[in-house]
Every structure is written in structure tokens, then in C-alpha cells.
């Protein structure tokens, strides 16, 4: 309400520098403004990971908060030139003013810029003929043996059907699960796919399959998972054309997901 009284609107605070800072902070932890998806890859290659948070790391969000919080992380990132300190906060103070108020930082949880947990981020954008406008993957927790993988598509038109089939034992090791109609339009609202990944974990398959969806994943999901595939199914994206048995290729290192239409049975290549 104080911001309303002062007649401060989002457009007075949010800027391209704000997005720069938001991406840096997101990567460091695991509009009328021009914004490019490939920026995430650009940032991912240069912004170090200063925190190692659950589910893949040993610390939790409350540990981050007790260690000094987001402003403490931003203070460390600013030392590496990864934060635009002239950007404004909600109170209309600059980021520089805010991070200068941070004094105590637990460096076991928020690492110094020269001693990160990892030199590169755990977030990446994939492209390819299955996601010509991009898809987002969380790289932390991705099984090594699935980093270059070719497998048959097993296609589901919603998350609930996929979950039931997983629990019914219909998924084999090496399969590439495709869940569609879960994007912004198709969901609607881009529902998170926590239940299918939890079902995979319960069936001891999380480290042996790849899951691709136009929906999203929460911070609690891990494994070989790729979400936010664009264009989504509701926009007639390539994901809407995939059939059971089509061959899906995942190239982790080159950030590519491709599909090849074919007449093979679902598990012929296993």
C-alpha cells in the first residue's frame, strides 16, 4: 500500500537490468522489455552456482534465508560483475543501496564468487526440431548415462494419464515420456509435472527415462527432465505431432532434442 500511496508502478521499477539480475540470481541458486530465451544459456555459461539447494543439494531455502538471503547472494554476485547495481528495488532504492546493508553472510551456504559450488549453472535452454522455440532443462541431477540418449517416445495427452501408466508399470527403461497439453494454453496455465516425476521415483525409473513436456517442473523435480517445450501442443507445435514409437534424440552437451517419425513399436529400440 505504501507503494500505491507513492504512485510507484511496476513499470517504474522493472527494467532490462531487473531481468538481468533475476536471471543471475536464479542461476546462482540451482512485457515491453525485449527478452530472449537464449540469454539463459548465455548466463548459464558464465554465472557460477553459489548455492547448492535441495533437491539436488545439501541445503534448503530456509538455510539460504538464514545465511543472508537473496540480497546476500546478490552482493556476492555483484563482486563478479553479474549484478546491475543501479537497478531499483520495490522501495525505489538501488540494488547497490540494498546489498550494502548486508553484513553477515554464511559462506558455507552462499559461497564467495571465487569459491562457488560449480563454475557453471544447472539451468539450460534446449532447441531442436522438437522445440524450435526452446525448452528449459534443469541440469543438476541429470543422470550421466542419459546425457546422450536415443529412445522411443511414449506419448500421453495429460499428466494424469502419464502418472497412472507409470504406476501401472507401462514404462520401460530407456523410454522417452512425452506429456503434452500442459502448456500455458493447453493446461491451461502450465501445471507442474511433479506427480509424474514422483511416480517415476516410486517405480525406480527416475534415473532411467527422459521426460519431455510442454508443462513445467517445480524445484522439487529432478532427473532427465525437459519442460516448457515451445511451441506447445495447443499452438500445434512439433510436440503435438509425436506418436508412440517415434525416435527421440537427446543431446545434453549440445542442448538439442530431436524427433524422427517412424513406424516402430513403442519398445522396439529397448
Amino acid at each position: 500500500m505504501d507503494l500505491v500511496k507513492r504512485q510507484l508502478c511496476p513499470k517504474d521499477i522493472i527494467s532490462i537490468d531487473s531481468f538481468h539480475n533475476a536471471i543471475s540470481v536464479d542461476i546462482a541458486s540451482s512485457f515491453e522489455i525485449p527478452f530472449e530465451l537464449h540469454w539463459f544459456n548465455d548466463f548459464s555459461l558464465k554465472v557460477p552456482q553459489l548455492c547448492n539447494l535441495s533437491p539436488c543439494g545439501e541445503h534448503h531455502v530456509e538455510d539460504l534465508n538464514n545465511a543472508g538471503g537473496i540480497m546476500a547472494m546478490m552482493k556476492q554476485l555483484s563482486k563478479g560483475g553479474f549484478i546491475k547495481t543501479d537497478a531499483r528495488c520495490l522501495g525505489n532504492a538501488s540494488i547497490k543501496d540494498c546489498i550494502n546493508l548486508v553484513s553477515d553472510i554464511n559462506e558455507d551456504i552462499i559461497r564467495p564468487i571465487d569459491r562457488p559450488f560449480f563454475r557453471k549453472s544447472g539451468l539450460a535452454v534446449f532447441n531442436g526440431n522438437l522445440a524450435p522455440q526452446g525448452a528449459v532443462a534443469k541440469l543438476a541431477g541429470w543422470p550421466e548415462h542419459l546425457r546422450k540418449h536415443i529412445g522411443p517416445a511414449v506419448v500421453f495427452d495429460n499428466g494424469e494419464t502419464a502418472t497412472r501408466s507409470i504406476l501401472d508399470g507401462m514404462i520401460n527403461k530407456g523410454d522417452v515420456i512425452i506429456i503434452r497439453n500442459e502448456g500455458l494454453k493447453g493446461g491451461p496455465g502450465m501445471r507442474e509435472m511433479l506427480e509424474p516425476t514422483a511416480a517415476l521415483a516410486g517405480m525406480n525409473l527416475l534415473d532411467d527415462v527422459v521426460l519431455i513436456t510442454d508443462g513445467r517442473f517445480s524445484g522439487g523435480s529432478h532427473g532427465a527432465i525437459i519442460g516448457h517445450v515451445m511451441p506447445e501442443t495447443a499452438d500445434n507445435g512439433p510436440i503435438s505431432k509425436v506418436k508412440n514409437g517415434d525416435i527421440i534424440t537427446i543431446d545434453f552437451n549440445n542442448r538439442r532434442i530431436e524427433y524422427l517419425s517412424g513406424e516402430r513399436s513403442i519398445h522396439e529400440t529397448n
Side-chain angles (χ1 to χ4, degrees), residues 151-155 170-172 174-176 243-247 263-270:
V154 185
V155 182
M170 303 299 292
I171 301 300
N172 291 348
D175 284 346
V176 180
K243 300 180 180 65
N244 283 330
D246 286 353
I247 303 304
E263 299 299 327
R264 304 185 184 192
S265 63
I266 293 177
H267 296 118
E268 184 178 337
T269 58
N270 282 9

Side-chain angles (χ1 to χ4, degrees), residues 27-28 30 44 46-53 56-57 111-113 115-122 140-141:
I27 284 175
S30 104
S44 178
K46 62 184 181 181
V47 178
Q49 187 175 328
L50 303 187
C51 294
N52 196 24
L53 302 181
C56 298
R111 291 278 185 88
I113 198 70
R115 190 172 59 85
F117 283 98
F118 303 103
R119 292 289 174 185
K120 295 181 180 179
S121 161

